[in-house]
Amino acid sequence: MKRLLYIFVLTLVVLGCTKDPLESKLKELDKMLSNRAVYAQKLEHRADSIRLEMGKTENDSLRWEYADTLFNMYRFFQVDSSMKYLKIMEKCAGEDPTRQFLCSFCQVEIDVSLRKYKDAEDILTSMDTLQMNNQLKSQYYSSLLLLYATEVRDVALPEDMRFSNDSTRDEMRNRLIASLKTSSFEYIRRNAVRDYKQGRYEESIRSLEELVENSKSLQEKSNAAWSLSNAYWNAGDKKNQMIWLAQGAIYDIQIPVREFLSLYELANLVYEDHQLVRASRYNQIVLEEALLCNFNARLYSSASSQLNIVRAVEYEQRRQRIISILVILLLSALTITIAALLRHSRSQARNIRVGAKKLEKVNNRLEEANRIKEGYVFQYMNLSAKYLGLVEDYRHSLRVTLKEDGEEALKQMLREQSATRDNYNEFYRIFDETFLGVFPDFVEDVNSLLREEARFSLSNKKELSTGLRILAVIRLGITDSGKIAQFLNCAPTSVYTHRSKIKKQALCPPEEFEKRLCQI
């Protein structure tokens, strides 16, 4: 028996210590995303050093090299900056045909980023490949692959066009593999891609994992991680696909780039797993970074994904709203019942004059009932206020998303009238009714603490004024002005003004007023 118990306990310990590799990788990614500004600053520092050196030289050849380096640093980080350095490259290229070809390839990359696919295709088709050496031909096939791969992932394009481009991309991949000057990294990676497309998943995954481990460049690691995620996807292993997309996104942050292809695909997979908050955060970052770097090719796809996420979140919010309303109704009924019981208990207590022992028992019961009463009232009201605040925060986040995305469908959603104000009015009505049910003499007791000219008079005996409502919240034990303001959905300055004004009109010293209020 002891042995079985030992094995059971050991099993629980092992299971508790075992971490899900996917969740661990996602947490690592979340931490990196919060620090991505640090890597952006490092890139700017490196770029500043290169710009300083470029400004010191008048040699066109050196200036071309510096501008080429800066172009590659900014091409997936800030398209406008990369265009500026391309102009310097074109100016300094002179009559050198190799550099002229390289400038054209750079222009293709910019056009693809800006979704000017036709312009990019025109540049490539107008090139005379017979005048290219093997190195330039390899770059030519890489540029064609970039164009077709981006078009395949662009959901705004017709599906038949994307399918046709995917077939053409396979042909360009084979040409790149056969090119004599293809780098060893690209040769291995493109062969691995061909392997998993032809069903040789194990060989492809093994080659790509070795490529990630052995590559020194973060850019190469990112490219290999992206291909590895696709290999796992073709093999039907979604979990490892997500792990390598997360790792690829981590490499992208470290490089850094703002194109964030891996993070975009990961957001879609996380959305499929119903992790709506995380999916929305990832996709929001992709949109923000695409806007910052002017990467139009990512905006269309990300906006479409964000729209689906918003719809799913809206559905979940509606479901949670129904549950919250049911809970509120239940707590309201329970609170009213408790208030009625308390009133009955107080009435009975006034008629009891039987002896010290019975009186002590009755008092103990009343104190216990008071504790229960205040606990229920506070829990109920706190839940109501928290729920209403979450609804308003959510609507605000939708407005921000709309402003940044520019989607007409989202605009139409936000034009719909919010029910939050009506919910708050209903919340105030229930609060006043419940509180006065528990403290029926509250207004008279408060007036007894104030000078005659400052006393409250209610036109509707079931509705508290703002000042009385603030005092009611203080009576329930919430004394911080900021929390009171959040609880009642008003400005902290308004709470502070009301409190100060009322205390100045008290019959007792102002600093003792709230203490006596809590004794009511």
Side-chain angles (χ1 to χ4, degrees), residues 11 241 298:
T11 302
Q241 178 193 6
R298 185 69 56 243

Side-chain angles (χ1 to χ4, degrees), residues 456-516:
F456 295 95
S457 60
L458 300 180
S459 57
N460 184 349
K461 293 184 178 181
K462 293 184 179 181
E463 181 178 351
L464 296 174
S465 63
T466 301
L468 282 171
R469 201 171 286 137
I470 292 171
L471 296 179
V473 175
I474 294 172
R475 175 61 185 87
L476 291 177
I478 303 175
T479 58
D480 182 78
S481 293
K483 291 183 179 179
I484 295 173
Q486 183 181 8
F487 188 74
L488 295 178
N489 190 36
C490 60
T493 54
S494 178
V495 174
Y496 177 80
T497 301
H498 276 89
R499 291 176 75 172
S500 299
K501 182 179 179 181
I502 293 171
K503 285 192 288 187
K504 288 179 181 178
Q505 299 297 328
L507 294 172
C508 61
E511 59 272 16
E512 293 183 13
F513 174 77
E514 292 186 1
K515 181 179 179 182
R516 296 194 183 186

Side-chain angles (χ1 to χ4, degrees), residues 36 65 118 171 186 217 231 234 258-259 287 331 339 346 356 396 424 450 462 519:
R36 63 187 188 276
E65 295 289 345
K118 184 64 170 59
E171 179 186 349
E186 281 300 314
S217 164
N234 279 269
R258 286 172 170 159
E259 185 253 1
L287 280 169
L331 289 176
R346 286 182 175 181
H396 175 70
Y424 268 114
L450 300 173
K462 293 184 179 181
Q519 294 173 354

Side-chain angles (χ1 to χ4, degrees), residues 105-154:
F105 293 143
C106 291
Q107 184 63 56
V108 168
E109 293 178 359
I110 290 175
D111 288 341
V112 169
S113 298
L114 296 176
R115 292 189 81 249
K116 296 180 179 180
Y117 303 136
K118 184 64 170 59
D119 292 348
E121 187 174 13
D122 289 344
I123 292 174
L124 291 171
T125 54
S126 65
M127 288 184 176
D128 185 359
T129 56
L130 295 177
Q131 297 183 11
M132 297 181 184
N133 57 30
N134 290 330
Q135 184 71 45
L136 290 173
K137 284 183 179 179
S138 176
Q139 182 65 41
Y140 178 76
Y141 297 138
S142 294
S143 296
L144 281 171
L145 268 174
L146 174 65
L147 171 61
Y148 296 136
T150 305
E151 288 181 321
V152 166
R153 291 190 292 268
D154 193 334

